[in-house]
Amino acid sequence: MSHLSHIEGFVIRDGKLFFSGCDTVALARDFGTPLWVLSEDLVREKCKKYCDSFRSHTSKFSVAYAGKAFLTTGFCGLLKSEEMGLDVCSAGELHTAKAAGFNMDRVLFHGNNKTRMEISLALRFGVGRFVVDNLHELSLVNQLAKEANLVQPIFFRVTPGITTHTHHYVQTGHLDTKFGFGIDNGQAEEAIRVSAGLQNVKLVGLHCHIGSQLFDLSSFKAAIHIVLEFMAKLREFFPKQGLELDLGGGLGVRYTSEDYPPPIEEYVDTLYMTTQSKTKELGMEMPFLWVEPGRSIVAPAGITLYTVGAIKEIPGIRTFLSVDGSMADHPRTALYGSIYCAVLANKVSEASPDDILAVFCTGAYHYSMSSNYNRLPRPAVVGLSKGKPRLLVRPETFEDLLRHDENPSLERGLETANRGNF
Ligand code: LLP
């Protein structure tokens, strides 16, 4: 199993895969496949690593988990108990947090095209910070906050103009991006000046997110330097006390043994120390720091279990091994060409039909990016905590799939089916 030396949280016992203390073959039997499995223990470990690393430097920080990586109401409960913040970017994510009783003060609201409905909802829920992306949004937030008779604290999302070494689909810190205000082209400065004239928004800091699945800490350092120099230049527009800086997410994970992201501790230390020395140099107050990690918290905590079906050998070319999943539950390979490591969960020898295949590192951007392509119902998500499984999301049924179809004759058909006439 040397090809799995980079994978966390598993052991092979009597040829069987145990993940987070649970027998994965029993999970596949009890819950069915495909099955998304999430180690809540591993998630907690990652949350603690982030928070403890910050705490060793300061108490002025918030680790706002990026909900887009994976979010359910049950998962919000876990985040709450780890004293995490939360980054949301849609009304759906907002509702999820609200329904779970998440403290809205700890919520950051993102998005490059927030609708009037979403802005009103976020104001009504009392989200802590809006991360404002464009001037249209700025005036909408100000107007709706005025109608609600409140002053909304905001960050501006700025683009420091950095090109990172990651898949070009997830590069977001360079100038040619739909996200945020450019620093180089003067748009960020213009937004700051406009906001100073508005009564119902209060600029408390800046945000930048330079990309995802990043391994190189020097890109983060460069972004911090650029954003802080820019802030120092316009310091009269920011609060003298209680300044905030949000450095986004982006720390990478080990999908394969060739991926070498720095450890969470080193990443946090670098962000903190770079900010500290740069602010000192610029004669600024050390800001309250936010980060928004998604992938590095949930990706390694997830595995997907499949049942092996048809095995097709194309002589001289390759052997195709089919499983009962697809790009509907595993979208990242089709979208980004991502490579994953997998193992047979029920034995160490070659695959045969009905074996269970476990694919590692599928906790981030799988459930959240899944679809019903091919009219496939989404699998269940099972959380593992202290060796025990609990259902986080029940599996979709065929009825769920048909639920939104408008078709009177079909409805009659279903009624018949429900009376048990088949
Ligand atoms: N903050 C902002 C503003 C973001 O846009 C993102 C991710 C994050 C935080 C969290 O970044 P992370 O720590 O997870 O790298 N669908 C792609 C990933 C897109 C990431 C988008 N933004 C994938 O499957 O790889």
Side-chain angles (χ1 to χ4, degrees), residues 372 375 394-407 410-411 414 418:
N372 288 121
R375 212 68 166 161
R394 65 167 176 74
E396 286 178 356
T397 61
F398 293 116
E399 223 170 292
D400 290 331
L401 282 179
L402 307 191
R403 180 155 293 151
H404 299 282
D405 287 12
E406 286 291 345
N407 184 339
L410 175 71
E411 276 171 28
L414 274 179
N418 288 342

Short mmCIF file of all heavy atoms in Angstrom, two decimals, residues 372 375 394-407 410-411 414 418:
data_model
loop_
_atom_site.label_atom_id
_atom_site.label_comp_id
_atom_site.label_asym_id
_atom_site.label_seq_id
_atom_site.Cartn_x
_atom_site.Cartn_y
_atom_site.Cartn_z
N ASN A 372 -27.49 15.35 -11.09
CA ASN A 372 -28.35 14.20 -11.37
C ASN A 372 -28.16 13.75 -12.82
O ASN A 372 -29.05 13.15 -13.40
CB ASN A 372 -29.83 14.56 -11.14
CG ASN A 372 -30.16 14.71 -9.67
OD1 ASN A 372 -30.61 15.76 -9.24
ND2 ASN A 372 -29.94 13.68 -8.88
N ARG A 375 -29.90 11.13 -14.93
CA ARG A 375 -31.05 10.84 -14.06
C ARG A 375 -30.65 9.89 -12.94
O ARG A 375 -31.34 8.90 -12.64
CB ARG A 375 -32.16 10.24 -14.93
CG ARG A 375 -33.58 10.56 -14.50
CD ARG A 375 -33.97 12.00 -14.66
NE ARG A 375 -35.43 12.16 -14.55
CZ ARG A 375 -36.04 13.30 -14.30
NH1 ARG A 375 -35.34 14.39 -14.13
NH2 ARG A 375 -37.35 13.37 -14.21
N ARG A 394 -29.57 11.89 3.56
CA ARG A 394 -30.16 10.62 3.13
C ARG A 394 -30.02 10.50 1.62
O ARG A 394 -29.95 11.53 0.91
CB ARG A 394 -31.62 10.51 3.59
CG ARG A 394 -32.53 11.53 2.94
CD ARG A 394 -34.00 11.20 3.16
NE ARG A 394 -34.84 12.25 2.62
CZ ARG A 394 -35.07 12.44 1.32
NH1 ARG A 394 -34.51 11.64 0.42
NH2 ARG A 394 -35.84 13.43 0.91
N PRO A 395 -30.02 9.27 1.09
CA PRO A 395 -29.86 9.14 -0.37
C PRO A 395 -31.12 9.62 -1.08
O PRO A 395 -32.21 9.51 -0.54
CB PRO A 395 -29.69 7.62 -0.56
CG PRO A 395 -30.32 6.99 0.64
CD PRO A 395 -30.15 7.98 1.78
N GLU A 396 -30.96 10.18 -2.28
CA GLU A 396 -32.14 10.57 -3.05
C GLU A 396 -32.85 9.31 -3.56
O GLU A 396 -32.22 8.29 -3.84
CB GLU A 396 -31.72 11.45 -4.25
CG GLU A 396 -31.33 12.86 -3.83
CD GLU A 396 -30.87 13.75 -4.98
OE1 GLU A 396 -30.77 13.25 -6.12
OE2 GLU A 396 -30.59 14.92 -4.73
N THR A 397 -34.16 9.42 -3.68
CA THR A 397 -34.96 8.30 -4.21
C THR A 397 -35.36 8.63 -5.65
O THR A 397 -35.20 9.77 -6.10
CB THR A 397 -36.24 8.13 -3.38
OG1 THR A 397 -37.00 9.34 -3.51
CG2 THR A 397 -35.93 7.88 -1.92
N PHE A 398 -35.96 7.66 -6.34
CA PHE A 398 -36.46 7.96 -7.68
C PHE A 398 -37.59 8.98 -7.60
O PHE A 398 -37.76 9.79 -8.49
CB PHE A 398 -36.90 6.66 -8.38
CG PHE A 398 -35.73 5.76 -8.65
CD1 PHE A 398 -35.63 4.51 -8.05
CD2 PHE A 398 -34.71 6.18 -9.49
CE1 PHE A 398 -34.53 3.70 -8.29
CE2 PHE A 398 -33.60 5.38 -9.73
CZ PHE A 398 -33.51 4.14 -9.12
N GLU A 399 -38.33 8.92 -6.51
CA GLU A 399 -39.39 9.90 -6.33
C GLU A 399 -38.80 11.32 -6.24
O GLU A 399 -39.36 12.27 -6.79
CB GLU A 399 -40.14 9.58 -5.05
CG GLU A 399 -41.64 9.71 -5.19
CD GLU A 399 -42.32 9.15 -3.96
OE1 GLU A 399 -42.24 7.91 -3.78
OE2 GLU A 399 -42.88 9.94 -3.20
N ASP A 400 -37.67 11.44 -5.52
CA ASP A 400 -36.99 12.75 -5.44
C ASP A 400 -36.67 13.25 -6.85
O ASP A 400 -36.79 14.43 -7.15
CB ASP A 400 -35.69 12.65 -4.65
CG ASP A 400 -35.92 12.43 -3.16
OD1 ASP A 400 -36.97 12.88 -2.66
OD2 ASP A 400 -35.06 11.81 -2.51
N LEU A 401 -36.23 12.33 -7.70
CA LEU A 401 -35.84 12.71 -9.06
C LEU A 401 -37.01 13.27 -9.85
O LEU A 401 -36.85 14.15 -10.67
CB LEU A 401 -35.29 11.50 -9.81
CG LEU A 401 -33.88 11.08 -9.52
CD1 LEU A 401 -33.52 9.85 -10.34
CD2 LEU A 401 -32.90 12.21 -9.84
N LEU A 402 -38.20 12.72 -9.62
CA LEU A 402 -39.38 13.12 -10.40
C LEU A 402 -40.12 14.29 -9.77
O LEU A 402 -41.02 14.86 -10.38
CB LEU A 402 -40.35 11.94 -10.53
CG LEU A 402 -39.80 10.62 -11.06
CD1 LEU A 402 -40.94 9.66 -11.36
CD2 LEU A 402 -38.98 10.82 -12.32
N ARG A 403 -39.74 14.64 -8.53
CA ARG A 403 -40.51 15.58 -7.73
C ARG A 403 -40.84 16.89 -8.43
O ARG A 403 -41.93 17.42 -8.28
CB ARG A 403 -39.74 15.87 -6.42
CG ARG A 403 -40.45 16.83 -5.50
CD ARG A 403 -40.05 16.65 -4.07
NE ARG A 403 -40.49 15.37 -3.54
CZ ARG A 403 -39.87 14.68 -2.58
NH1 ARG A 403 -38.78 15.16 -2.07
NH2 ARG A 403 -40.35 13.53 -2.17
N HIS A 404 -39.92 17.43 -9.20
CA HIS A 404 -40.17 18.75 -9.80
C HIS A 404 -40.67 18.68 -11.24
O HIS A 404 -40.86 19.70 -11.88
CB HIS A 404 -38.90 19.61 -9.70
CG HIS A 404 -38.50 19.85 -8.29
ND1 HIS A 404 -39.12 20.77 -7.50
CD2 HIS A 404 -37.58 19.22 -7.50
CE1 HIS A 404 -38.59 20.72 -6.28
NE2 HIS A 404 -37.66 19.78 -6.26
N ASP A 405 -40.86 17.50 -11.76
CA ASP A 405 -41.39 17.39 -13.12
C ASP A 405 -42.84 17.84 -13.13
O ASP A 405 -43.63 17.43 -12.27
CB ASP A 405 -41.34 15.92 -13.60
CG ASP A 405 -39.93 15.47 -13.93
OD1 ASP A 405 -38.99 16.20 -13.58
OD2 ASP A 405 -39.78 14.39 -14.51
N GLU A 406 -43.19 18.69 -14.10
CA GLU A 406 -44.59 19.12 -14.28
C GLU A 406 -45.19 18.25 -15.37
O GLU A 406 -44.80 18.35 -16.53
CB GLU A 406 -44.64 20.59 -14.70
CG GLU A 406 -44.32 21.56 -13.60
CD GLU A 406 -45.39 21.62 -12.52
OE1 GLU A 406 -46.52 21.12 -12.75
OE2 GLU A 406 -45.09 22.17 -11.44
N ASN A 407 -46.07 17.38 -15.02
CA ASN A 407 -46.64 16.46 -16.00
C ASN A 407 -47.87 15.80 -15.40
O ASN A 407 -47.75 14.82 -14.65
CB ASN A 407 -45.57 15.42 -16.36
CG ASN A 407 -46.03 14.48 -17.44
OD1 ASN A 407 -47.24 14.33 -17.67
ND2 ASN A 407 -45.09 13.83 -18.11
N LEU A 410 -48.24 12.07 -15.53
CA LEU A 410 -47.25 11.39 -14.69
C LEU A 410 -47.71 11.38 -13.22
O LEU A 410 -47.60 10.38 -12.53
CB LEU A 410 -45.90 12.10 -14.80
CG LEU A 410 -44.79 11.58 -13.90
CD1 LEU A 410 -44.32 10.23 -14.38
CD2 LEU A 410 -43.62 12.55 -13.88
N GLU A 411 -48.28 12.54 -12.81
CA GLU A 411 -48.75 12.60 -11.42
C GLU A 411 -49.79 11.51 -11.17
O GLU A 411 -49.78 10.85 -10.15
CB GLU A 411 -49.34 13.98 -11.11
CG GLU A 411 -48.26 14.97 -10.73
CD GLU A 411 -48.77 16.38 -10.63
OE1 GLU A 411 -49.96 16.55 -10.33
OE2 GLU A 411 -47.97 17.31 -10.86
N LEU A 414 -48.11 8.32 -10.69
CA LEU A 414 -47.46 8.14 -9.40
C LEU A 414 -48.48 7.84 -8.30
O LEU A 414 -48.22 7.04 -7.42
CB LEU A 414 -46.68 9.40 -9.02
CG LEU A 414 -45.26 9.51 -9.56
CD1 LEU A 414 -44.63 10.81 -9.13
CD2 LEU A 414 -44.41 8.33 -9.12
N ASN A 418 -48.40 4.92 -5.79
CA ASN A 418 -48.39 5.05 -4.34
C ASN A 418 -49.47 4.22 -3.67
O ASN A 418 -49.36 3.87 -2.51
CB ASN A 418 -48.57 6.53 -3.96
CG ASN A 418 -47.30 7.31 -4.27
OD1 ASN A 418 -46.25 6.71 -4.45
ND2 ASN A 418 -47.41 8.62 -4.35
#
